[in-house]
Amino acid sequence: MKKRFILTFPAGRTNNPITYDLIKKYNIKINIIKANIGAEEEGSLLLEMIAEESDLNNAQEYLKENNINCQSVEKRVQFIENECMHCGACTAVCFAGALTLGKDDWKLSFDATKCIVCELCVKACPLGLFEIHFSE
Amino acid sequence: MSTKTIDQINEKIKKGKAVVLTAEEVSKMSENHTPSEILKKVDVVTTATFGAMCSSGAFINFGHADPAIRMEKLKLNDVNVFSGVAAVDAYIGATEESETNPKYGGAHIIEALIKGEDVHLEAHAKGTDCYPRKEIVTTINKNNVNEMFLFNPRNAYQNYPAATNTTNKMIYTYMGNLLPKMGNITYSTSGELSPLLNDPEFRTIGIGTRIFLCGAQGFVSWNGTQFNTSVKKNKNGIPVHNATTLAVIGDMKQMDPEFIKAAYFEKYGVSIYIGIGIPIPVLDEEIARCVSIKNKDINTTVMDYGKNGHPAICETDYEKLQSGTITINGKSIRTAPLSSLYKARIIANKLKNQIIDETFQITQPVQNLPKNTNLTGLEIRGENK
C-alpha cells in the first residue's frame, strides 16, 4: 500500500537516522516530499511510504516508541468540504493535482494521496476552508 | 419568419405545455437542430452564474428607537456601514472591511442577515431636536428590521478576461492567486451558461426583467455600472472581454444562503459570491441562435495581471479554458475557474423547474438597456503623489 504521512519529531530527535531505520528494518520504500526543522530543533517530515500493510503497521509502532508522531496527511489537512461552493480557485494553485474539479459534474475533490502540503490552497480558498498543520 | 410573444409563452407555461431547457441543454440540442427548429421546440432557456461580484451591497432600514436617533456613524459587527441616507436607512457595501479583522466585511454581514443571525449594531449621532438620541447599541436580524434588499450596482458581467502573471513573483488578485511565470490562468464566467452571453444584444433582458437572485425573485433594475457596448466582438457577436453588466435588486428576506457567499481573496480583500439566473424567452430565430452558443464560440482575452494596465497576451475560448489546460507560445498552462459552474448549473435547473411549476413568471422588460455606450477612465487632475 501507498500512503502519505507527516512525521513530527520532538526537539532533540532530529539527529536520529529514523528514515534509515524505516527503510532497512521495515522494508518501506520512502519518498521524502517535504522536510522542515524549526527553531527549537523540532522537525516535520512529509513522507510517501510504500510497503506491505504489516510492515507499515510495525513501522508506525516503531515511530511511536521513538516518540515521533505519525499522522496521515488527511488528518493534518483539514478541509471543510460541506461548505465548499466548488468554485475551483484552489485548483489554480494545486500543482500536485490533489485538488481537482470533476470533468462532468464540476465538483471539487481532494485526493490526499497526491497532496504535497505546499499549503497554497489555504490562501487560495475564498471561503478559508483549508487548514494545514505541517509544523506543529 | 415565425415568432412568439412573451404572453404566448406564459400561456403555454400555464397550460403545462412550455418546453424549458437550460442554456447548456439547448447548446447540446443545437448540434442537430437548426435555430428555426429550436424556436419551434423550445420556449424558455435558463441561464445562470455564480461568481464573485464585488460591486454588491444591501439597503437596510432598522426602524426607529425611542427616543429616535439620526444615525451618523454606524457599525454592524464592527464594519463601517454607510448611514448617509436618512436617519435609520443604511447601505452595507459588500467589500467594506472591518478595521479589526480585514478578512471580515460587509459581505459577511449580508450573509449573516440572510442566514437569520443576530448582528451587532452600534451608531452615534450629534443629536437633534427631532432625533435627540446620541448613541445606540443593539442587535438586529432579518426578523426585526423593516426592509433589507440587495441592490447590486454591477453584477453578471458579460464575459471577463482570463488572468495570468508573467512576473517572477506570486501575485494575489481578485482573480485568485496567480503563480509566477504564467504558472496558471484563472477565468470567471460560466461560459455557455452565462446570462449575458446568451442574449448579447439584450433582445429579452432589460429593465424590469424578473430574475433569480440568490434564491429569491429579483429584478434587473438598471444597466450595471461600467456598462460598455463598444467592446470588440468575435464573429459570433460576443465581446472578447468584459463588456456589459446588470444592476440588480431583490428581497434579502427571501434569499437562500446557498446562493450567496461572503468571500475573502488573499491580499485583495472581502468580496461576495452572488448567484444569478435569468430566463430567456425564445421569441425568434435570432434569439434561438444566440441561446445555442457553445463554449468554443465564446472567446475571451488572457490578460497579464502582473503588469500595470493588464496588457492582453492572447485570445482563447471557453472550451479550451474549461479543458483544464491551454497552450501559449508552446507552453501548456493549467487553467482554473473562479466562478462555480457546479452552483450555476443548480441555479439554471432550479429556475427551469420554477418556470415549469408556474412559480416564476417570464417578464417583458419595461425599458431596453442602453446602446452605444463607452467607458471613461479617471483622469488625474491636480497634484498627486
Side-chain angles (χ1 to χ4, degrees), chain B residues 182-201:
Chain B
M182 293 176 72
N184 59 1
I185 290 174
T186 57
Y187 62 96
S188 189
T189 87
S190 50
E192 65 190 26
L193 191 57
S194 181
L196 303 192
L197 296 173
N198 279 277
D199 185 10
E201 296 297 324

Side-chain angles (χ1 to χ4, degrees), chain B residues 8-46:
Chain B
Q8 284 168 341
I9 289 174
N10 276 329
E11 203 52 44
K12 276 180 95 173
I13 293 169
K14 263 190 214 161
K15 287 180 182 160
K17 288 184 174 170
V19 174
V20 186
L21 296 182
T22 70
E24 286 185 318
E25 287 166 341
V26 83
S27 296
K28 186 98 187 119
M29 184 183 180
S30 72
E31 287 169 10
N32 46 28
H33 288 76
T34 64
S36 155
E37 289 166 336
I38 288 170
L39 171 65
K40 275 186 205 138
K41 290 190 173 174
V42 183
D43 298 299
V44 183
V45 171
T46 60

Side-chain angles (χ1 to χ4, degrees), chain B residues 209-264:
Chain B
T209 297
R210 182 180 283 111
I211 62 170
F212 175 106
L213 182 59
C214 308
Q217 289 189 15
F219 296 91
V220 173
S221 45
W222 204 250
N223 51 290
T225 56
Q226 298 176 18
F227 186 93
N228 185 1
T229 63
S230 305
V231 173
K232 183 188 128 190
K233 291 180 176 156
N234 72 3
K235 65 179 190 316
N236 306 304
I238 300 290
V240 296
H241 57 80
N242 48 327
T244 55
T245 64
L246 297 177
V248 299
I249 195 162
D251 184 3
M252 272 163 65
K253 290 192 180 184
Q254 307 296 324
M255 286 180 186
D256 179 345
E258 270 307 299
F259 301 109
I260 183 164
K261 295 275 177 209
Y264 170 78

Side-chain angles (χ1 to χ4, degrees), chain A residues 22-93:
Chain A
L22 291 175
I23 298 166
K24 291 290 275 188
K25 292 185 184 166
Y26 298 98
N27 200 27
I28 294 174
K29 281 188 192 168
I30 282 183
N31 181 17
I32 299 174
I33 295 162
K34 187 176 179 178
N36 184 54
I37 295 181
E40 290 171 1
E41 293 195 348
E42 77 284 8
S44 303
L45 192 59
L46 170 61
L47 296 179
E48 185 172 81
M49 299 205 237
I50 305 166
E52 295 292 329
E53 197 172 349
S54 57
D55 285 336
L56 208 52
N57 290 340
N58 292 337
Q60 281 176 278
E61 205 50 49
Y62 160 79
L63 290 169
K64 205 173 169 184
E65 284 161 11
N66 281 276
N67 207 17
I68 292 159
N69 182 341
C70 173
Q71 275 188 318
S72 63
V73 165
E74 293 97 312
K75 290 214 169 129
R76 300 285 277 272
V77 179
Q78 279 156 23
F79 168 41
I80 310 170
E81 203 170 350
N82 61 342
E83 286 183 29
C84 177
M85 56 185 176
H86 311 279
C87 67
C90 58
T91 67
V93 293

